[in-house]
Amino acid sequence: MKESDFITNIKPTWCVGCSNFAVRSALLKTFVKLGLKPQDIAMVFDIGCAGNSANWYKVYAFHGLHGRVIPVASGAKLANGDLTVIGIGGDGGMYGEGIGHLLQAARGNMDITVIVSNNQFYSLTTGQASPTTPKGTKTKSTPEGLIEMPLNPLSVAIAADASFVARGYTGEPVHLAELIEKAIQYKGFSLIDVLQPCVTLDKIHDYSWFKERVIKLDNNWPVKDKKVAIEKAEDLDKNIPIGIFYLKERPTYQEELPFLDNRPLIKQSFNKNKLKAILKDF
Ligand code: SF4
């Protein structure tokens, strides 16, 4: 398979130079590297700039309601555990409307990969404050400056015992592709928060701003230490580290359900009479 086998001929509507192109490119490279076929992959897309890529991938795809990527992705994985299931969205949908779902999937260790294009705005609607917007930022929805503190998605996910928690950056595309590859291969819930500068709306946090701050985590980073992972995720005063912060090995949601492990729902027999009885009761 080659990268072009995973894309449709529909032209992306992202702004020229949008860093979401780097996320897409990293995903395509990873699909090829892992030897996946389009029919092996299910992608679930949120509403927003990142989610707008729904039409441009030639895989099983679902473009749902705002913030509801993770329940749909979880359902797809439970129905067919053979699929590689990937949720795509932005910081608004995933950390705002969808945060409860994210925490639930992390706690349950649902075997899906969630990739969040985090540009600290609701960009598709032209720049309202999102859960990751820095305190004090003036936006269309916060003309006097944002009152709330920004949510740190990594430390929140680690606190919820997510199995794989990483931060990537679109200005480091090879590193980002490596993170995506590892996340897909990791058994359990994986979250990659991707620093994704919005080149149209954010004139402060542009590529030169990130270039001065982004550093890679050391190769010997102690990925199993929850406490230091949270501390490092929140340590953003001088630099912004990227890489895998935290790994936790534990059974996946499917493995906790004996009737699902190695026997996805689509491979189980369907008893119409049993269903009729349940519906009658209902
Ligand atoms: Fe990309 Fe920002 Fe344009 Fe959305 S508004 S497509 S995030 S550059």
Side-chain angles (χ1 to χ4, degrees), residues 27 31 34 36-45 59-62 68-88 94 105 110-115 180 183-186 188-192 254 264:
L27 274 161
F31 294 161
L34 292 178
L36 294 169
K37 299 187 188 76
Q39 61 268 34
D40 297 332
I41 304 165
M43 295 178 78
V44 184
F45 297 87
V59 299
Y60 292 120
F62 190 97
R68 312 301 169 208
V69 162
I70 290 175
V72 178
S74 302
K77 189 69 185 182
L78 291 174
N80 185 356
D82 293 338
L83 288 171
T84 291
V85 180
I86 301 169
I88 300 283
M94 292 289 195
M110 193 62 69
D111 188 16
I112 58 174
T113 296
V114 173
I115 299 174
I180 294 174
I184 288 175
Q185 289 181 308
Y186 203 82
F189 181 80
S190 49
L191 170 71
I192 306 179
Q254 292 86 328

Side-chain angles (χ1 to χ4, degrees), residues 21 23 44 47 53 56 59 87 107 124 142 195 206 228 274:
F21 281 106
V23 179
V44 184
I47 302 299
S53 52
W56 314 330
V59 299
R107 289 172 52 225
L124 189 67
T142 57
L195 306 172
D206 57 10
V228 294
K274 210 171 168 185

Side-chain angles (χ1 to χ4, degrees), residues 122-161:
Y122 283 93
S123 299
L124 189 67
T125 45
T126 69
Q128 292 78 19
S130 84
T132 55
T133 306
K135 181 175 171 58
T137 306
K138 291 186 178 178
T139 71
K140 288 180 179 170
S141 57
T142 57
E144 303 299 325
L146 180 67
I147 292 169
E148 291 93 338
M149 291 297 289
L151 179 141
N152 185 309
L154 275 73
S155 56
V156 168
I158 296 166
D161 276 320

Side-chain angles (χ1 to χ4, degrees), residues 14-15 18-20 49 119 123 196 198-201:
W14 286 323
C15 304
C18 175
S19 50
N20 274 312
C49 291
N119 57 29
S123 299
Q196 181 257 309
C198 174
V199 296
T200 299
L201 297 169

Side-chain angles (χ1 to χ4, degrees), residues 5-269:
D5 293 323
F6 295 92
I7 47 175
T8 65
N9 54 12
I10 301 171
K11 222 174 152 203
T13 53
W14 286 323
C15 304
V16 174
C18 175
S19 50
N20 274 312
F21 281 106
V23 179
R24 187 175 86 141
S25 171
L27 274 161
L28 296 177
K29 282 185 173 43
T30 306
F31 294 161
V32 174
K33 191 168 176 196
L34 292 178
L36 294 169
K37 299 187 188 76
Q39 61 268 34
D40 297 332
I41 304 165
M43 295 178 78
V44 184
F45 297 87
D46 210 326
I47 302 299
C49 291
N52 270 356
S53 52
N55 295 331
W56 314 330
Y57 289 97
K58 205 192 292 173
V59 299
Y60 292 120
F62 190 97
H63 200 180
L65 297 173
H66 204 13
R68 312 301 169 208
V69 162
I70 290 175
V72 178
S74 302
K77 189 69 185 182
L78 291 174
N80 185 356
D82 293 338
L83 288 171
T84 291
V85 180
I86 301 169
I88 300 283
D91 43 300
M94 292 289 195
Y95 304 144
E97 293 89 339
I99 187 70
H101 301 304
L102 191 145
L103 295 177
Q104 188 71 4
R107 289 172 52 225
N109 203 21
M110 193 62 69
D111 188 16
I112 58 174
T113 296
V114 173
I115 299 174
V116 183
S117 288
N118 181 358
N119 57 29
Q120 306 180 335
F121 284 115
Y122 283 93
S123 299
L124 189 67
T125 45
T126 69
Q128 292 78 19
S130 84
T132 55
T133 306
K135 181 175 171 58
T137 306
K138 291 186 178 178
T139 71
K140 288 180 179 170
S141 57
T142 57
E144 303 299 325
L146 180 67
I147 292 169
E148 291 93 338
M149 291 297 289
L151 179 141
N152 185 309
L154 275 73
S155 56
V156 168
I158 296 166
D161 276 320
S163 278
F164 179 112
V165 181
R167 184 187 284 132
Y169 169 46
T170 52
E172 291 283 353
V174 175
H175 181 263
L176 179 60
E178 285 168 7
L179 289 181
I180 294 174
E181 181 187 339
K182 286 176 184 158
I184 288 175
Q185 289 181 308
Y186 203 82
K187 218 167 179 206
F189 181 80
S190 49
L191 170 71
I192 306 179
D193 180 68
V194 182
L195 306 172
Q196 181 257 309
C198 174
V199 296
T200 299
L201 297 169
D202 193 341
K203 301 301 178 195
I204 297 171
H205 305 98
D206 57 10
Y207 275 100
S208 58
W209 188 93
F210 279 106
K211 197 175 175 191
E212 283 172 17
R213 291 165 176 83
V214 167
I215 55 163
K216 288 181 190 154
L217 279 180
D218 194 88
N219 282 341
N220 299 320
W221 176 253
V223 288
K224 293 189 176 168
D225 191 323
K226 188 172 183 176
K227 188 165 173 275
V228 294
I230 289 176
E231 281 169 7
K232 192 71 175 172
E234 296 197 341
D235 180 12
L236 299 168
D237 289 343
K238 289 187 189 142
N239 300 116
I240 306 176
I242 58 172
I244 301 170
F245 285 69
Y246 185 61
L247 296 177
K248 181 167 180 136
E249 282 172 32
R250 63 187 173 105
T252 64
Y253 194 88
Q254 292 86 328
E255 287 167 341
E256 299 271 7
L257 296 172
F259 63 91
L260 274 182
D261 189 24
N262 295 324
R263 216 155 47 97
L265 287 177
I266 58 155
K267 290 189 179 161
Q268 297 190 23
S269 58

